Amino acid sequence: MVRMLYKYFSSEVLELVFDRDGFCGVKCSYPQDYNDPYELFLGVDLSVPPHHLATYRNVVQDLPQYPTTCFSKSPIVTPMWAHYANDHSGFVLEFDAKAMGEHFQNIAIHDVIYRDTPDPSIVPLLERAAEIAKARYVYMLRNAVLLHAYFSKHTSWTYEQECRLVDQNNFSEDVSGNRILFIPIECVTSIIVGHKTPVPVVEVSRQIAEDNDLDWYKAIIGKSHGSPFLRDSSGRSFVFDAEGIKIAANTCDSCSEPVSEGRELCPWCSITEEDDINSAGRNPYRLLDHLGLLKDYVSDADKISGV
């Protein structure tokens, strides 16, 4: 498991998340409420005999429902910003996984395993449980299915880079009908706002970061990258890689976007006024438009191409 974990939030819950002094409250849900209704389909090969499937179903129906909260191993997953942070208007919190594990003794924090097919190791366990019908084999099957129920998803969800915390020891609390896990603020290291986060929320996030000694960043949608980079309050640019969040080694002299080593400008800032003039002069669409022929040309081209 990686050292730092990231959780995406909508902007509306920022103050609620930090409502309890000295803690960060994160919502937990149960497996029956997961956003992937097919997760348990990965549990067993459905080609096994019907009476084996009946045993499996009986075991699955009795699986305990533990409060679970989900994290990502990256704060720059664009679909996560879109789906869980209100289309880049929310925020992300960075957590120290080791510190959480030390505070919540025996709590389960594991990476999610992404699979296209069920784990073949389940089948022999199921065979023994169904045919021999001894309690120890049902126990072994139950534990294996429990592991897959909580820590496996179909590969179509790989982009989430998910890690899960399963509260088997009732650390979470009931708050107005929701299960909330209150994580000590010492386990939180950074707050990252989105590039569309409303200004009032940004200001509140800055104050929360200052009050709790957290690093503060804003996710920036650059002109030359397919994922965000980060910028702190002083305007320094940061990148995220396998080592975590770190200051960018090289940035564009004009827009401060991270660039590869040896470059002084990003690709777009490298375009000169002369480049623009030459390109405009060689653009045939401009000539056709000047002659009043562009609309007819595009219409005829569309007919030929079948658009």
Side-chain angles (χ1 to χ4, degrees), residues 76-96:
I76 58 168
V77 181
T78 299
M80 296 289 283
W81 276 102
H83 298 160
Y84 301 109
N86 286 96
D87 191 24
H88 302 263
S89 67
F91 64 100
V92 170
L93 294 181
E94 180 185 61
F95 295 86
D96 186 322

Side-chain angles (χ1 to χ4, degrees), residues 233-253:
S233 298
S234 64
R236 295 179 302 170
S237 295
F238 292 75
V239 294
F240 176 82
D241 60 18
E243 299 177 2
I245 297 173
K246 62 181 182 181
I247 194 164
N250 200 40
T251 59
C252 174
D253 290 344

Side-chain angles (χ1 to χ4, degrees), residues 44-45 48-59 121-142 145:
V44 69
D45 185 344
V48 300
H51 66 287
H52 287 188
L53 275 182
T55 300
Y56 176 79
R57 182 169 63 181
N58 186 272
V59 170
S121 67
I122 296 292
V123 173
L125 293 175
L126 176 56
E127 290 175 347
R128 288 196 289 270
E131 299 296 339
I132 303 175
K134 288 189 176 181
R136 68 174 180 271
Y137 295 129
V138 174
Y139 174 82
M140 293 168 62
L141 174 63
R142 184 182 172 85
V145 173

Side-chain angles (χ1 to χ4, degrees), residues 24 68 110 117 126 131 137 139-140 147 166 188 201 213 268:
C24 166
T68 303
H110 298 297
T117 58
L126 176 56
E131 299 296 339
Y137 295 129
Y139 174 82
M140 293 168 62
L147 179 66
V166 179
V188 186
V201 178
D213 195 26
W268 292 105

Side-chain angles (χ1 to χ4, degrees), residues 14-306:
L14 175 60
E15 293 182 86
L16 188 61
V17 166
F18 290 96
D19 185 57
R20 181 179 292 188
D21 288 344
F23 293 89
C24 166
V26 300
K27 184 179 179 180
C28 298
S29 58
Y30 296 97
Q32 62 193 17
D33 301 319
Y34 284 172
N35 60 3
D36 179 7
Y38 295 101
E39 288 196 30
L40 287 180
F41 281 52
L42 291 172
V44 69
D45 185 344
L46 299 181
S47 66
V48 300
H51 66 287
H52 287 188
L53 275 182
T55 300
Y56 176 79
R57 182 169 63 181
N58 186 272
V59 170
V60 169
Q61 286 177 339
D62 291 336
L63 282 180
Q65 295 285 314
Y66 295 125
T68 303
T69 192
C70 304
F71 301 88
S72 175
K73 290 182 281 187
S74 170
I76 58 168
V77 181
T78 299
M80 296 289 283
W81 276 102
H83 298 160
Y84 301 109
N86 286 96
D87 191 24
H88 302 263
S89 67
F91 64 100
V92 170
L93 294 181
E94 180 185 61
F95 295 86
D96 186 322
K98 182 179 180 181
M100 283 197 295
E102 291 173 351
H103 177 80
F104 298 108
Q105 293 294 317
N106 300 319
I107 206 163
I109 307 176
H110 298 297
D111 292 349
V112 166
I113 298 172
Y114 296 96
R115 309 180 61 89
D116 286 314
T117 58
D119 189 330
S121 67
I122 296 292
V123 173
L125 293 175
L126 176 56
E127 290 175 347
R128 288 196 289 270
E131 299 296 339
I132 303 175
K134 288 189 176 181
R136 68 174 180 271
Y137 295 129
V138 174
Y139 174 82
M140 293 168 62
L141 174 63
R142 184 182 172 85
N143 284 347
V145 173
L146 183 64
L147 179 66
H148 286 281
Y150 281 96
F151 299 109
S152 67
K153 294 185 75 169
H154 193 272
T155 52
S156 58
W157 295 87
T158 305
Y159 70 89
E160 291 185 335
Q161 302 182 45
E162 189 174 347
C163 181
R164 286 180 178 167
L165 180 154
V166 179
D167 178 20
Q168 298 170 273
N169 296 304
N170 206 32
F171 289 113
S172 58
E173 303 175 21
D174 185 288
V175 179
S176 301
N178 294 311
R179 296 300 302 183
I180 305 297
L181 181 69
F182 290 97
I183 301 173
I185 199 67
E186 292 79 10
C187 300
V188 186
T189 51
S190 300
I191 182 168
I192 305 164
V193 298
H195 81 282
K196 292 183 182 178
T197 303
V199 172
V201 178
V202 171
E203 293 308 312
V204 171
S205 73
R206 287 178 184 270
Q207 190 61 54
I208 289 174
E210 182 178 340
D211 292 344
N212 294 284
D213 195 26
L214 307 178
D215 292 329
W216 184 94
Y217 305 99
K218 182 173 184 178
I220 306 296
I221 304 299
K223 299 178 291 184
S224 308
H225 295 81
S227 57
F229 68 96
L230 308 178
R231 188 169 286 156
D232 69 2
S233 298
S234 64
R236 295 179 302 170
S237 295
F238 292 75
V239 294
F240 176 82
D241 60 18
E243 299 177 2
I245 297 173
K246 62 181 182 181
I247 194 164
N250 200 40
T251 59
C252 174
D253 290 344
S254 178
C255 68
S256 299
E257 183 169 349
V259 294
S260 57
E261 185 178 357
R263 291 196 68 118
E264 296 181 356
L265 297 172
C266 74
W268 292 105
C269 290
S270 298
I271 298 173
T272 65
E273 183 178 356
E274 183 180 359
D275 291 329
D276 273 330
I277 293 173
N278 290 338
S279 178
R282 294 174 57 82
N283 186 346
Y285 264 32
R286 287 183 176 271
L287 176 59
L288 289 171
D289 186 50
H290 178 72
L291 297 174
L293 301 174
L294 181 58
K295 184 176 180 180
D296 290 339
Y297 171 81
V298 172
S299 177
D300 292 341
D302 286 344
K303 292 176 183 178
I304 294 172
S305 63

